[in-house]
Amino acid sequence: MARGKIQIKRIENQTNRQVTYSKRRNGLFKKAHELTVLCDAKVSIIMISSTQKIHEYISPTTTTKHLFDQYQKAVGVDLWISNYEKMQDHLRKLKDINKNLRREIRQRMGESLNDLNYDQIVNLVEDVDDSLRKIRERKYKVIGNQIETSKKKLRNVEEIHRKILVEFDARQEDPHYGLVDNEGDYNSVLGYPNGGPRIIALRMPSNHHPNLHSGGGSDLTTFALLE
């Protein structure tokens, strides 16, 4: 049974389109390889799919660049001249920009001023003044940030120093402030025989003990130590 003729038009279904592309691409590459082997031809095929994937076949005896060179020689055209001219033009523009920037740098340093007229010198002075203003603003900002950081560090140190002085004055007024030493009125750790619980004694200032305001109670507070 003869196969029906296929109508050549764009395949709308994306999956079918990709399958057809893959099959026919492989078939085309196979024919190109047969031409290379049977006829000693140099064949180059470059294909770009609808998904922007590049597939290429090149005869094993040559390269893509060599084929392009042979094509330019046979046809008498230069495929790279337009791109080369664009690159040369871009290079000239970059060189001019670099030359102007170097001249401006020398002028800002007080050199190469002989070719400037009065208006150009005035503009140069204004540019230098504006640059100096921006530099000073940046310098003052950096110095201000450093000063603020130093002030914060100084406040932290002063706060630590104040707390140390308060604690020192409290110990001077009350030798039993904080933990009770062994040489005080109470033992700092009281023990019980037969392995009983151990107790640590703390002498609290009178203003921290609610019972002392009424004249009663003790200023000694004990805590059991966990084993």
Side-chain angles (χ1 to χ4, degrees), residues 44-74:
S44 176
I45 301 176
I46 299 176
M47 302 177 64
I48 302 177
S49 67
S50 59
T51 57
Q52 303 303 313
K53 291 184 178 180
I54 298 179
H55 303 89
E56 179 183 9
Y57 172 84
I58 184 71
S59 298
T61 57
T62 187
T63 63
T64 302
K65 181 181 181 304
H66 183 63
L67 278 179
F68 274 112
D69 292 339
Q70 285 187 311
Y71 172 81
Q72 293 181 103
K73 184 178 180 180

Side-chain angles (χ1 to χ4, degrees), residues 99-175:
K99 181 180 178 180
N100 293 333
L101 289 175
R102 289 180 177 274
R103 184 177 64 252
E104 289 181 6
I105 292 174
R106 291 194 302 270
Q107 291 174 351
R108 289 173 182 268
M109 296 178 65
E111 303 174 1
S112 303
L113 301 177
N114 295 331
D115 297 333
L116 298 180
N117 57 35
Y118 177 79
D119 292 335
Q120 291 174 333
I121 293 178
V122 171
N123 292 333
L124 178 61
V125 172
E126 292 178 354
D127 292 339
V128 172
D129 290 339
D130 185 62
S131 299
L132 289 174
R133 178 182 58 80
K134 293 179 180 179
I135 293 173
R136 290 191 186 98
E137 290 177 355
R138 177 59 183 169
K139 183 183 75 170
Y140 294 150
K141 183 178 181 181
V142 172
I143 293 176
N145 293 337
Q146 293 177 348
I147 292 175
E148 289 298 323
T149 302
S150 299
K151 287 182 178 179
K152 290 180 181 179
K153 292 181 179 180
L154 179 61
R155 286 195 294 267
N156 292 337
V157 172
E158 290 176 345
E159 180 65 19
I160 295 174
H161 182 257
R162 186 188 64 79
K163 292 180 179 180
I164 293 176
L165 288 179
V166 170
E167 184 177 355
F168 179 78
D169 292 339
R171 290 183 180 275
Q172 290 293 104
E173 296 177 359
D174 184 4

Side-chain angles (χ1 to χ4, degrees), residues 6-57:
I6 300 177
Q7 185 179 6
I8 302 300
K9 68 175 184 178
R10 184 178 185 273
I11 301 174
E12 298 298 332
N13 185 278
Q14 183 177 0
T15 302
N16 294 341
R17 187 166 61 245
Q18 287 297 112
V19 172
T20 302
Y21 172 82
S22 178
K23 290 181 178 180
R24 298 209 173 198
R25 180 198 65 211
N26 294 336
L28 183 60
F29 285 176
K30 181 179 180 182
K31 292 296 182 181
H33 179 68
E34 292 175 357
L35 280 174
T36 299
V37 176
L38 297 176
C39 305
D40 194 24
K42 295 181 176 63
V43 182
S44 176
I45 301 176
I46 299 176
M47 302 177 64
I48 302 177
S49 67
S50 59
T51 57
Q52 303 303 313
K53 291 184 178 180
I54 298 179
H55 303 89
E56 179 183 9
Y57 172 84

